[in-house]
Amino acid sequence: MKNMTVNEIRESFLKFFEGKDHLRLPSFPLVPKNDKSLLLINAGMAPLKPYFTGLQTPPSKRVVDCQKCIRTGDIENVGKTSRHGTFFEMLGNFSFGDYFKGEIIPWAWEYITEVLEIPKDRLYVTIHLNDDEANEIWTSKTDVNPNRIFRLGADNFWEIGVGPCGPSSEIHFDRNPELGEIKTAEEFVEASDNDRVIEFWNLVFTQFDKDEEGNYNKIEHTNIDTGMGLERISTIMQGVDNIFEVDTMMAIINEVCKKANKKYKENANTDVSIRIITDHVRSVTFMIGDGVLPSNEGRGYVLRRLLRRAARHGRLLGIEGIFLSELCDVVIDSCKSEYKELVEKADYIKKVIKLEEERFSETIDSGMEILKSYIDELEENKETTLKGEKVFKLYDTYGFPMELTKEILEEKNLNLDIDGFNTEMKNQRERARNARGDSNYMGNDDGVINKIDKDIEIEFTGYTSLIEDSKAMILIKDEEFVSKLEKGDKGIIVTLKTPFYAEMGGQVGDKGIICNEKFKAEVYDCKKNAGGKTLHFVNVVEGSVSIDDEFKLSVDETRRNRICKNHTATHMLHEALREVLGDHVNQSGSYVDDERLRFDFTHFSAVTEEELKKVENILNEEIMKVYNVCTDVMTLEEAKNSGAVALFDDKYADDVRVVSVGSFSKELCGGTHIKNSGEIGLFKILSESGVAAGTRRIEATTGEKSVEYIENKNELLKEVSSALKCTEKDLLSKVQGLLQELKDKDKEIQEFKNKLTSGLEDELLSLVKEVNGIKTIVTSVKDVDSNSLRNLCDKLRDKLQSGVVVLGSANGEKVQLVAMATKDVTNKGIHCGKIIKEVALIAGGGGGGRPDMAQAGGKLPEKLEEAMNKGREVIETLVK
Ligand code: SER
């Protein structure tokens, strides 16, 4: 067996199949394209599904690659077992309707026995129960020992969710040959269960496409899909028994140990944390490298979970503060030969990790305290399940992913109420949805539209013309192919040629008209199906159209023109932002329609007013340079070499379009653009805001809309100055003067009020009456609110020095009552609580209080005087 590093093994595999006429592809990004069944790429074949099913034509019928994959299904086992990791690389070679079992079996054998030089007496092979053909090939075309081929059932049929699948043949390595030859399928299964043999290469004979209903639909041609876990084959080649001990992983482990000041393999618990961090930091680095950002949804949430879980294990190891971003370097270093993009994006990746770590570190300690108190409470009450609301509180306020809380509870043999948590989550989502007023995508995206024949070639002529003659090739209505659409119908028209741009790359679809003498349809949207076929969504407003009818397609020119202005401006904005903020600015999303443009980009703090002004100025200056906007078609390689900006989600097309705005901006883009920057006229930024950690959003307008924006502001200025009766020039000083005037008036009013109440005080003091030697004031006052009434009462009591004051005031529909007494008179029998209780009763309310102070409200203003009389009465009885 050869001694090879992980990087050498990867390269040898790719080379081997290149030698068998395979096209070597770089790994596809971890974020799936056009695949709603999948959050993250989880197998080598996942991004290739449309090539197997025939929905898309592959760049070659033979392909080899090493695919980045993420699987989080077994996350709780990561670190605890020798095999589980969330991130792994899968080596694979693929045939799309080209070679089949007869080729792959001998090739696989050749690669492992001749290139990797794995001894034949360490190898076993399994095939599907009924696969005589595979058996025949293994025995006749390779020199595998026929006694070492076992037939198994479900284990040798490969499928993952829906999609391409089929019977398979697996190759296994025997780690303990000294235990003797494995003789039967039963013995083999046992050896596999106890890890004596490990499977390392899966050859799938892909023949079926499994649908949502669970039907296995035969694919027209036979295919090959093989998968070999790079980490796993590396453990075999390097003679270690744990994926964490292969060279590239050890490099990360060592770095973690350094940071934690711990030794690997000294303490089992510590080792688990070290391995969790090692695995998760790899996943996190690659995910961010492919454009995923932490969030509370979808793959962003997966990223957040992994990152926060790793951060917590860092705390368990005693690592203080931020550390994950620093581990990135060894991750990137360990695999930079294959993943050059990670080197390019290193700074960016580190910034995103750091930001998320910092965010979490602000709350992790207080969150842990709270969780600890919850745990104590559970244990005290001899309960075992943490309530859903509490789990949600930790999630919502302290950023603890539910899974993290679960894991910490499980360490104490406790669990949590997932249903309760989910209910809380659902409620929150509903609140958010109601607030946003979301609407749904038009519904039929998964149905009939994806059954359109993938061999149909549709020509898009809309880069250069907005009118085209074509005919109805396919008509769709109510999720069915139909032969005719009639007035009043809502449906879809597919044509051989179209000038309509279908929504893509952030640019909305065109609107317009399809018509002939007999019919007219309004195109209200235009999108592509999964196979890239353009669909015109229409309302038929006149006549009818049948298959093969000829007609004219006309794009709404004004609207398209405005879209083009916004799209070109988006490119220019991207460039200007890079100039002002730095090269870390990358587009993370965009939306361009005829009203405005929205541009999301990576940046780590709010863009200041000053920076925004600069960006806007740069754009307007460049616009005025009346640059020609040119599109060149070239290979991706050429495009990158020419310095064109490529986005995260670039796909591997043979030819790409590069759009240049003079010498100012150059970007890969499939969208439509204006001919000259001057057409933009005026660029205005409307707003800047944050959309997620590390992502900012700018909204802006161009052309007519910018003019409209300025005009509206002008109009407003005019209206304001006419209301203020001054010229626009004097507006500012006028407003400043008015504000000062208001302030002076406020002051005056306050002084006036003070005078009024002090006058009132003197007036009331003249009402003092002695009852059995106790000074009393019992009276109603006009229109005083409860606060002022209390203050007044307070002051009167102080002025009396000894005595009792009872005040009532009617304020609209309500009555306020308050009584206060000095200490000495309460000793003589005065009790404010008792007085107020009876007084309030009459005024239609209730209340009470202490001997020296009480207050209440009532609802009968007309009874106020009567109530006051009652007060006098009560005082008399109290002091008798
Ligand atoms: N699709 C198979 C797997 O993931 C082989 O590539 O194992």
Side-chain angles (χ1 to χ4, degrees), residues 796-822:
L796 290 172
R797 179 193 53 192
D798 289 351
K799 288 212 167 149
L800 285 183
Q801 285 175 353
S802 164
V804 52
V805 184
V806 182
L807 299 179
S809 179
N811 215 327
E813 301 279 273
K814 279 192 203 146
V815 176
Q816 307 292 344
L817 301 160
V818 54
M820 291 183 189
T822 52

Side-chain angles (χ1 to χ4, degrees), residues 135-419:
N135 188 55
E136 159 67 20
I137 297 168
W138 273 113
T139 46
S140 67
K141 291 199 176 180
T142 75
D143 61 356
V144 66
N145 177 347
N147 296 332
R148 288 181 162 227
I149 302 174
F150 298 113
R151 290 179 183 243
L152 301 181
D155 271 352
N156 278 101
F157 189 95
W158 191 87
E159 58 188 307
I160 187 165
V162 295
C165 55
S168 70
S169 178
E170 295 182 327
I171 308 176
H172 308 253
F173 179 77
D174 186 356
R175 304 202 304 170
N176 303 100
E178 71 281 2
L179 295 177
E181 191 77 7
I182 299 170
K183 295 204 184 66
T184 63
E186 289 71 34
E187 274 179 37
F188 178 85
V189 170
E190 200 189 318
S192 161
D193 285 346
N194 62 32
D195 271 2
R196 171 181 162 184
V197 295
I198 52 172
E199 178 265 327
F200 64 92
W201 199 355
N202 188 9
L203 318 177
V204 184
F205 313 130
T206 309
Q207 298 161 58
F208 306 103
D209 184 16
K210 189 178 175 188
D211 64 25
E212 300 279 356
E213 279 93 53
N215 305 315
Y216 293 89
N217 307 306
K218 221 168 160 59
I219 300 178
E220 260 173 53
H221 40 248
T222 51
N223 307 281
I224 290 295
D225 151 30
T226 88
M228 169 149 61
L230 178 60
E231 290 78 2
R232 195 176 288 183
I233 184 67
S234 301
T235 59
I236 295 173
M237 299 300 294
Q238 297 181 6
V240 293
D241 62 6
N242 189 315
I243 54 163
F244 289 92
E245 280 150 37
V246 302
D247 61 316
T248 46
M249 296 286 257
M250 263 329 270
I252 309 173
I253 290 220
N254 289 337
E255 198 61 27
V256 178
C257 288
K258 231 201 264 162
K259 286 235 170 314
N261 207 4
K262 292 266 172 350
K263 281 218 168 71
Y264 188 49
K265 292 222 159 149
E266 249 184 20
N267 171 314
N269 282 338
T270 315
D271 284 352
V272 171
S273 291
I274 294 174
R275 288 192 289 254
I276 286 177
I277 296 172
T278 300
D279 168 76
H280 289 8
V281 77
R282 289 210 315 154
S283 298
V284 160
T285 303
F286 276 94
M287 284 173 86
I288 298 172
D290 279 343
V292 182
L293 283 168
S295 78
N296 278 340
E297 254 168 31
R299 53 185 80 92
Y301 184 60
V302 175
L303 173 62
R304 173 159 283 170
R305 254 175 73 192
L306 289 168
L307 216 147
R308 295 191 169 192
R309 187 169 190 247
R312 181 201 165 226
H313 279 276
R315 283 284 206 282
L316 288 181
L317 288 178
I319 304 178
E320 299 266 334
I322 308 296
F323 69 102
L324 288 169
S325 51
E326 293 162 19
L327 286 175
C328 252
D329 285 324
V330 314
V331 175
I332 295 175
D333 201 53
S334 68
C335 60
K336 64 177 176 220
S337 58
E338 183 66 18
Y339 303 103
K340 302 203 172 53
E341 71 273 16
L342 288 184
V343 182
E344 285 163 26
K345 291 178 185 150
D347 282 345
Y348 166 73
I349 297 171
K350 279 195 261 183
K351 268 192 184 150
V352 175
I353 296 183
K354 188 152 170 254
L355 206 74
E356 175 70 6
E357 260 193 298
E358 276 167 0
R359 268 190 148 196
F360 189 43
S361 81
E362 277 165 22
T363 55
I364 182 171
D365 293 327
S366 28
M368 285 304 297
E369 287 287 315
I370 304 266
L371 180 50
K372 201 175 156 289
S373 73
Y374 289 166
I375 290 175
D376 290 346
E377 206 176 295
L378 284 179
E379 284 172 345
E380 232 163 70
N381 298 338
K382 305 222 162 11
E383 288 169 355
T384 53
T385 308
L386 184 63
K387 285 212 171 63
E389 305 105 72
K390 295 193 165 163
V391 183
F392 182 74
K393 181 169 178 167
L394 280 166
Y395 164 84
D396 200 39
T397 315
Y398 299 97
F400 277 45
M402 180 274 283
E403 296 79 359
L404 182 62
T405 304
K406 184 163 173 252
E407 182 178 317
I408 297 171
L409 288 169
E410 275 165 2
E411 287 164 10
K412 305 256 180 216
N413 288 323
L414 301 169
N415 50 44
L416 50 77
D417 171 16
I418 293 194
D419 291 341

